[in-house]
Structures are given as structure tokens and as C-alpha cells.
Amino acid sequence: MKNFSRFGIIILATVFILTSCGGDDEKFIEKKENSDTIPVKIKPDISAEVINDIIMSIPSPLEMATMLKDNGQGYDANLLNPSTNIIKYNTNYKIAFNIGVYSADLGYINIYEKTFSAMSYLQNIKKLGDDIHIGQFFDFETLKRLATNTKNYDSLIFISTDNFNKMDAHLRTQNRNELSVLMISGAWLEGVNIACQVAKLKPNKDLTERLGFEKINLDNILVILNAYKNDEYFGKIVTEFEKLKQIYSQITISYTYVEPETKEVNGQLVIVNKSKSTVDITDEQLKQIIDEIARVRNTMIN
């Protein structure tokens, strides 16, 4: 049994709030290297508040990495997106998506205190961030210094996560929500893929349940991805994520409401949520999820 609120669940019944705007449609451009053509696409009229709420509902991939280590799983560099793949990311969209992927990888690396690997992924995130003009929010020099001292890993993890959140927040405040959506999608996919590969080798009940609950986060991410699906790159992601959703549709998540309790903690009255949720997932469904997550992830990073 798990606390339902732990997984950042939000009600999506009114999530697609379309805002009516007068005048010309707002536009954005995607720049491509070695190309004289700059395609112009139309941004969807979707409430920034709605996008923000959904993005904030997605748990950090660092939480997944921490769970893996706490369960006694060893470090495996083969689970990561190779740092050499950076040369493949030559459009704004690919850059944003793989900032998310590499950030999830960095969280995993940091949890296991792998200094040498951390430096390579720090450099990649900084480089990609500079390419889409958000590198100023990534404190590379401080992170580099912390990564060389094993006593500073708590600070390294905190600052790495904080820097990612600042880049994401800046994109949204600058009305570049499409890049923020891609960063979050990449981080989610990579974090879940790492967990899936661990579950493939060494399954356990807690990890299996956690992967089952990712059905909720996938649904939330698809809401905002679908807002941009008329764009070719977003359309590709939606197509791949929808295939994954078909597998997740077989999984049942049940919610049991229990009236909350109040108790005194350190002299203050707090409310304790007693409601619970359970996930019904079979071994065969887990295998299908592991295989499909890996396929989608490998498609998106190459």
C-alpha cells in the first residue's frame, strides 16, 4: 500500500484549459545546425499554469535513483546514455530532451558518488544548456569543485537538482514551455528506464509497484506533449509514448479514501493523510513495460 499523494497525482478533468488570445498567433522557431531553413511553428494556446501544475507533479528522477540504491542495487554505467552521444543533439528540441536525459543520469551517478563519470555528464549538461541559452543557470564551476570531493556529495546532489529546476523554471517564465516539457519528458523517461533495467536483473516488490505507479506520470506527461503534437518532433514522442500507454492501460490503480487524522508534532497540529492506493501489475506486464521503455528510450536518444 502506498500513499496516493506521494506520486504527485493531480486531477486532469479540467487540465486542458485553452486560453483565447486575440491578434496573431504567437510563434517560436527551432534552429537547426547546417541548415539555411528555420521552420516556424505555432505555439498552442494552453494555460501556462496548467503546464506548470503538471510539470510540478512529476517526481524528480533523483527519487528513483535513491530508491534503487536504498534497495541495495549496485552502480552500472551501462544503464546511462553515453556522454559521447552529445554530438547527435543538434536541434533545440533534441538538446532540451537530452538535457533531461543527462540530468537523470547525473542524479543516478551522484547517488553512487562516481566522480569521474559525474564530470563528463556535468560538462554535457552545461554545453547543451549554453546551446539553448540556459547555461547561466547551471553552476558548473561549483559543481565541478564539489564533484572532486567525496565529502561534498550531499551538496552536489542538491545543487545539481536545483540547477535543473532553475533551467526548467526559466524556460517556462520566458514562454519557452515546449523546451521545458521536453526536458521533463527526457528526465522522466531516463529515470524510469534505469529503474526498469534494474528491475529486469533484480526485481522486487517495491520497485515493481513503483514502476506500475508510473502510469500516472505517463498520463500527465502525455497531456502536455499532446498540446504540441502538431509539431513533427513532438508528434514522434507522442506516438512512442502512446505505445507505452497501451501497455500501462492494462494496469489497475485503486484508491481507498480514509478520513485524515490530526496529531501533534513538536507542539504543532498536523494533518496525516491516511488514504491509500494500490497497483495491480503482473510479471508479464512488468516485462512488457521494461521492454517498451527501453525501446522508446533508445529511439529518442539516437
Side-chain angles (χ1 to χ4, degrees), residues 13 44 75 83 108 143 192 207 246 297:
Y75 177 79
S83 60
Y108 177 76
L143 290 168
V192 174
L207 185 53
Q246 290 178 12
R297 180 259 195 180

Side-chain angles (χ1 to χ4, degrees), residues 238-247 292 295-296:
V238 168
T239 297
E240 297 297 339
F241 278 34
E242 286 287 353
K243 293 175 184 176
L244 180 59
K245 182 177 179 178
Q246 290 178 12
I247 298 174
E292 188 64 11
R295 188 196 65 76
V296 173

Side-chain angles (χ1 to χ4, degrees), residues 194-206:
I194 291 173
C196 279
Q197 295 309 305
V198 170
K200 183 177 181 179
L201 296 173
K202 191 178 180 181
N204 65 62
K205 183 176 182 293
D206 288 343

